[in-house]
Amino acid sequence: MQYISTRDSSLRYSAAQAIVQGLSRDGGLFLPESIPALTTQDLQDLVGMTYQQRAVKVMKAYLDEFTEVELAEYAAKAYAVPGKFNDAAVTPIHSTHHKTHFLELWHGPTCAFKDMALQMLPYLLTASLRKTGEEKTACILVATSGDTGKAALEGFRDVDGTRIMVFYPKDGVSEIQQLQMVTQEGKNVDVCAVVGNFDDAQTGVKTIFSDEALRAELASRGYFLSSANSINWGRVLPQIVYYVATYAELVKRGDIQMGDKINFCVPTGNFGNILAGYYAKRMGVPIDKLLCASNANNVLTDFIRTGIYDRNRPFHNTLSPSMDILISSNLERLLYLLSGSDAEVRGYMEQLNKTGRYEVSKDMLEKIQDNFLCGFCDDERTTNAIGKVFSHGKYLMDTHTAVAYTVMMDHRAATGDATPTVVVSTASPFKFCDSVLTALGVTDQRTGVEILDQLAEVSGKAAPAPLAGLKGKARRFDQVVEKQQMTDVVREALV
């Protein structure tokens, strides 16, 4: 299977080349030229498999040049229990009702859903380096709104042939998220705060990728640039797995019958997570609707409702910071999937770059609305949802999961839709202790990592070991720069 650019479909790359390069040189995103199909028998076969085996089955369909033996080795290591994940199911499903299920994607080493892809990506990338004969060191640039940074740092820590640099928005992540990054261990890691928001950091990384002079300079020093953000197909692919696996698991548990339709409600910022769900649907998983849940930065809600993408709006720092995004990069892949036209996508992206907005065609909007529903939730309702769900059934949600839960409940109230729905739970509540404690009625809160113990005492839940392990760890990274200085940071670090 070949991979093409969303902005120039005449370009053809192998999977290994696309994963190594990360972002197409024309600024577009790589995606497979076709979507493999899963038959009903394929889905039935998945029911009896482990998560690791399901990962091999799904990823092999997209990775012609990787053998099943290779992928099985990577899956065994990436999703090792114990060692990497603390639950035998890897992605356990918690049901609060026979038609309401929480897919917990935060049982990995950094307690966020990004582990599902970023524990696999280092294996895919290093194998791709071998397959393409690349001898230079991969400098992996990451912009993070909170969770990707730590997951990428942990995934690539001391991986041979790589160097990783993470940029996060100063004052735009939770205290625990920041502590996870600035205390990161490893010889090949760098972390830097950027004055501004996530979009500033993400735009800065994209600018670095498109700087031909910098790329030539780094090549002369033995480096090339790659990405661990969801602009890299190697990030999106492992996420498709858990949508497919969840359907198989619900059948295995008897919650649904093979062929029954289900919905997924996904807290959404950069659109990579929910895009993976769309790929699963296109592969043949019986998914009815994908509910795109936004916080107060509801650019995606407006887009799905109107077909107008407009980032020219106030940016809000919310209780769900990993969704504080106004430029949803992976939406570009969806636009190509629905239009099949690189020229059309290129036109939209040029408009976005010049004016901060674009409007899709009527036909495109109809296709989007056939597959996606949307809604948003402000901080007050996020807080209320956490408190209400915990008081009713002692189930503890983080702020991002609470956004998705609220949007799902809004949809049910408005439509009467009784389709079984999976709420994609993207982070441990202990990553956002202050917000969760507030939702539980606790106003006198401890500071630093001591707040982890406080939430444990109040909720009766144990803090995950990776977060509890932050106690006593030394801060290693305190650099703060303006967004215009990001290129200089990369240049100076790679000497």
Side-chain angles (χ1 to χ4, degrees):
M1 180 181 293
Q2 295 290 294
Y3 285 73
I4 58 178
S5 168
T6 52
R7 302 186 193 182
D8 185 354
S9 59
S10 68
L11 299 175
R12 290 288 191 276
Y13 296 87
S14 69
Q17 289 173 323
I19 291 170
V20 166
Q21 194 167 315
L23 184 71
S24 179
R25 296 291 182 251
D26 60 1
L29 306 186
F30 291 120
L31 76 172
E33 61 182 349
S34 62
I35 299 176
L38 289 171
T39 66
T40 300
Q41 185 58 54
D42 290 330
L43 289 171
Q44 190 63 56
D45 291 343
L46 289 166
V47 171
M49 295 183 182
T50 65
Y51 187 87
Q52 293 84 350
Q53 291 168 332
R54 292 165 179 167
V56 174
K57 178 75 173 179
V58 174
M59 293 195 301
K60 176 57 181 167
Y62 289 92
L63 301 174
D64 291 344
E65 64 217 277
F66 291 74
T67 69
E68 288 192 7
V69 172
E70 286 178 301
L71 294 175
E73 177 188 350
Y74 306 157
K77 293 178 178 178
Y79 306 122
V81 181
K84 294 287 188 180
F85 286 77
N86 65 13
D87 192 286
V90 181
T91 57
I93 300 170
H94 180 92
S95 301
T96 55
H97 180 269
H98 71 282
K99 290 190 176 180
T100 302
H101 312 283
F102 290 84
L103 174 62
E104 295 182 349
L105 300 176
W106 40 264
H107 289 271
T110 75
C111 307
F113 83 102
K114 305 299 176 70
D115 288 328
M116 301 309 304
L118 284 165
Q119 286 301 306
M120 176 59 71
L121 182 58
Y123 296 105
L124 295 178
L125 179 59
T126 52
S128 295
L129 291 174
R130 294 193 299 271
K131 292 176 186 295
T132 58
E134 179 60 72
E135 296 181 352
K136 291 189 288 294
T137 297
C139 178
I140 300 158
L141 301 185
V142 179
T144 183
S145 55
D147 289 331
T148 294
K150 173 60 180 178
L153 289 164
E154 190 63 29
F156 281 96
R157 179 180 65 176
D158 294 330
V159 171
D160 291 342
T162 68
R163 177 79 176 269
I164 180 165
M165 303 185 68
V166 169
F167 295 92
Y168 71 92
K170 182 180 181 293
D171 304 322
V173 300
S174 77
E175 184 176 6
I176 295 296
Q177 286 175 313
Q178 184 185 55
L179 279 172
Q180 284 185 292
M181 289 186 282
V182 300
T183 60
Q184 176 65 45
E185 299 171 349
K187 300 187 296 291
N188 64 336
V189 303
D190 283 290
V191 179
C192 182
V194 177
V195 177
N197 57 43
F198 169 75
D199 290 328
D200 294 321
Q202 180 171 246
T203 299
V205 166
K206 288 182 176 179
T207 299
I208 293 169
F209 269 101
S210 62
D211 189 329
E212 296 282 356
L214 177 62
R215 286 213 310 272
E217 180 182 343
L218 295 181
S220 69
R221 300 181 189 177
Y223 293 97
F224 74 94
L225 298 177
S226 189
S227 175
N229 278 98
S230 56
I231 56 177
N232 191 318
W233 176 253
R235 269 284 307 280
V236 177
L237 176 55
Q239 293 179 282
I240 299 173
V241 173
Y242 53 73
Y243 286 95
V244 179
T246 297
Y247 190 87
E249 191 64 22
L250 289 174
V251 172
K252 181 178 181 179
R253 295 182 357 161
D255 293 296
I256 58 174
Q257 299 297 310
M258 181 62 70
D260 288 351
K261 294 273 191 176
I262 64 172
N263 294 335
F264 282 92
C265 189
V266 189
T268 308
N270 219 12
F271 209 77
N273 195 353
I274 199 168
L275 177 74
Y278 180 69
Y279 267 98
K281 179 176 181 177
R282 288 280 296 267
M283 290 179 74
V285 178
I287 297 171
D288 186 16
K289 296 293 185 181
L290 292 156
L291 281 70
C292 178
S294 300
N295 60 20
N297 294 294
N298 59 341
V299 62
L300 286 169
T301 304
D302 289 344
F303 173 69
I304 292 170
R305 287 176 177 169
T306 68
I308 298 172
Y309 193 96
D310 190 349
R311 67 175 186 182
N312 302 312
R313 61 183 66 211
F315 180 91
H316 302 285
N317 288 305
T318 73
L319 300 181
S320 45
S322 297
M323 300 160 64
D324 289 347
I325 297 171
L326 293 179
I327 305 175
S328 301
S329 292
N330 273 288
L331 191 59
E332 182 172 340
R333 283 189 170 108
L334 179 68
L335 297 177
Y336 184 89
L337 286 169
L338 296 180
S339 69
S341 170
D342 54 2
E344 186 172 344
V345 173
R346 196 163 57 245
Y348 293 143
M349 295 304 104
E350 289 172 355
Q351 292 175 48
L352 183 65
N353 186 50
K354 291 178 181 177
T355 69
R357 73 189 301 275
Y358 60 84
E359 182 174 2
V360 300
S361 66
K362 181 180 178 182
D363 178 64
M364 173 83 78
L365 180 58
E366 289 176 353
K367 290 178 180 177
I368 291 169
Q369 292 177 342
D370 282 343
N371 293 283
F372 295 89
L373 300 173
C374 61
F376 73 96
C377 171
D378 62 19
D379 282 351
E380 181 178 1
R381 298 183 71 212
T382 298
T383 300
N384 290 341
I386 294 170
K388 181 178 180 180
V389 170
F390 185 74
S391 66
H392 284 186
K394 300 303 178 185
Y395 186 68
L396 194 63
M397 301 186 293
D398 87 293
T399 49
H400 305 76
T401 305
V403 168
Y405 175 80
T406 302
V407 169
M408 177 195 67
M409 296 301 289
D410 287 347
H411 167 67
R412 286 177 169 173
T415 66
D417 187 355
T419 304
T421 300
V422 177
V423 175
V424 179
S425 181
T426 54
S428 165
F430 283 86
K431 296 195 78 166
F432 307 94
C433 292
D434 54 348
S435 299
V436 175
L437 281 167
T438 297
L440 300 184
V442 179
T443 56
D444 185 11
Q445 299 179 6
R446 300 172 196 169
T447 59
V449 293
E450 299 305 320
I451 200 171
L452 292 165
D453 292 333
Q454 187 177 19
L455 180 55
E457 293 163 9
V458 171
S459 67
K461 314 290 183 181
L467 301 182
L470 291 171
K471 295 178 181 178
K473 292 190 73 172
R475 296 176 66 99
R476 295 185 62 201
F477 305 101
D478 291 300
Q479 186 176 17
V480 181
V481 301
E482 299 290 336
K483 58 186 177 181
Q484 299 89 346
Q485 298 174 293
M486 289 173 60
T487 299
D488 293 333
V489 171
V490 174
R491 178 179 285 112
E492 292 168 7
L494 302 180
V495 294

